Structures are given as structure tokens and as C-alpha cells.
Amino acid sequence: MKEKTPRAEEVRERLGRRPVVLIGLMGAGKTKTGMMLAQALDLPFADSDTEIERAAGMKVAEIFERFGEEHFRAGERRVIARLIGEGAGIVSTGGGAVMTPATADLIWTQAVSVWVRAEMPVMLERVMRSDRRPLLKNGDPEEILSALAAKRYPVYGKADIVVESHNGPAEAVLNQTIDKLHDFLAGRHGSGRHD
Ligand code: S3P
């Protein structure tokens, strides 16, 4: 196990039992950042899509195809409620999770929320590497992602902190996340926190 840095140590202590939940559009880098953060803070990591797939015994794309988005969102809410209920840990969520008001409510009230944000070309390049995302299958991915950004960014903007996930070294994104968490937990934050 890697030694925690003093800053990571402080973040870990100040979080107490509160989980950290990562939100943001598909391809923004939530899972990667979440896994690295979990390792740096020595906390368990979970990805809501992976947990939904495990519970349902099928892939997200198949759940959408067979049962529809509404069914998926209900399962997503249950899984996120369970993960948040487990206390200290890092949870990466699917891009649409906070668009379900009951799920968003849990995240805003019971977790420290981190919006992982990336530029459109970066997200596009990442999502084009796989075909596992049902919402991108029926049209031009750039148009779909742009429309989702327009609708979702005002909601993502309620997160406690925002992290810029560029294509540079992943370590830099991790350090930025730890620094911003550190400041937020110390009460030094100027973000547009929801009421
Ligand atoms: C979705 C994002 C996906 C997955 C599902 C729906 C969305 O997760 O939950 O395909 O509504 O944006 P990622 O954000 O991890 O790709």
C-alpha cells in the first residue's frame, strides 16, 4: 500500500464517514479519477454502473434495451443509496444519475460531491473508444453529448467542488482533486454550492 501524503491524510480524516461521489458526463473521467482517489485516500471504490450490472446480471446497454431508461434509473437510485449508506468510500456514478431528483437529493445531502468536467473533444475521444453507452447509439455522439451537457451542466454545477479532467497526466487530476477536497473540507471554498 502506498503511503498517504499529509494532504490526503487530512482529507481522509475530515471526511469522516462521508462518502465522496463523483458526477459528470460520460467520458469525463469519473471512474479513473475515482479509482485513483480511492487508492490515494486508502478508501474502498465503487462504480454505480458496475454495481447495477452485478445486481441485474446484465450490461447497462442490455438493461436499457430490455427494460428502458426509467427502469435503469430506478435501479441506479437504489444502488447509489446503498453505496452512500455504506459510509466512507469513493463512488463514481453514471452521467445521468443526478438527473433523477431522488438520487441527486441523496448525493447533495449525504456525500461530498465532485463534478469531474472535461472539454468536449476529450470526452468524445474517450467515449468513441467503446460502444457500451446506450444513449450515444442513436445519433451523432457529439450532438448527443452537447445536448446532454446543455441540460445537465446546471445540475452538475451544484456539486461541492469541480475538477478539470484534461488529457494530461492522471496524477495531476488526482492532485487537483485532493487539493480541492482539502480546501472544501477546511471551509475554504467559493463554489456555487446548492442551498
Ligand atoms: C449514462 C451514463 C453511463 C451509464 C448509462 C447512462 C448517462 O455512465 O450510466 O449509459 O445518462 O449519461 P458513464 O457516465 O459512466 O458513461
Side-chain angles (χ1 to χ4, degrees), residues 120-181:
M120 187 57 64
V122 174
M123 289 188 288
L124 263 180
E125 200 256 319
R126 290 176 183 160
V127 297
M128 296 308 266
R129 284 191 225 140
S130 100
D131 64 353
R132 67 179 176 83
R133 293 181 171 96
L135 293 180
L136 298 180
K137 284 188 175 158
N138 301 316
D140 173 50
E142 181 163 10
E143 273 174 27
I144 297 170
L145 263 188
S146 301
L148 289 174
K151 204 161 130 195
R152 293 175 175 179
Y153 279 14
V155 179
Y156 293 161
K158 296 179 180 180
D160 294 315
I161 64 168
V162 185
V163 163
E164 303 295 339
S165 154
H166 33 68
N167 252 349
E171 290 288 334
V173 182
L174 172 66
N175 291 336
Q176 183 199 154
T177 310
I178 292 174
D179 285 350
K180 288 188 171 168
L181 278 172

Side-chain angles (χ1 to χ4, degrees), residues 24-28 30-31 47-49 52 60-61 64 69 72-73 76 92-97 99 127 132-136 145 148 152 156:
L25 265 195
M26 300 175 246
K30 297 169 295 217
T31 303
D47 176 87
S48 68
D49 282 347
I52 294 164
V60 168
F64 266 73
E69 182 169 352
F72 171 79
R73 296 298 172 200
E76 182 177 55
S92 135
T93 61
M99 303 310 287
V127 297
R132 67 179 176 83
R133 293 181 171 96
L135 293 180
L136 298 180
L145 263 188
L148 289 174
R152 293 175 175 179
Y156 293 161

Side-chain angles (χ1 to χ4, degrees), residues 47-80:
D47 176 87
S48 68
D49 282 347
T50 307
E51 294 299 315
I52 294 164
E53 291 181 341
R54 203 196 311 268
M58 63 184 95
K59 295 285 176 198
V60 168
E62 199 181 343
I63 303 174
F64 266 73
E65 224 171 274
R66 290 176 57 177
F67 305 106
E69 182 169 352
E70 211 176 306
H71 179 91
F72 171 79
R73 296 298 172 200
E76 182 177 55
R77 181 189 49 73
R78 285 193 299 274
V79 160
I80 290 174

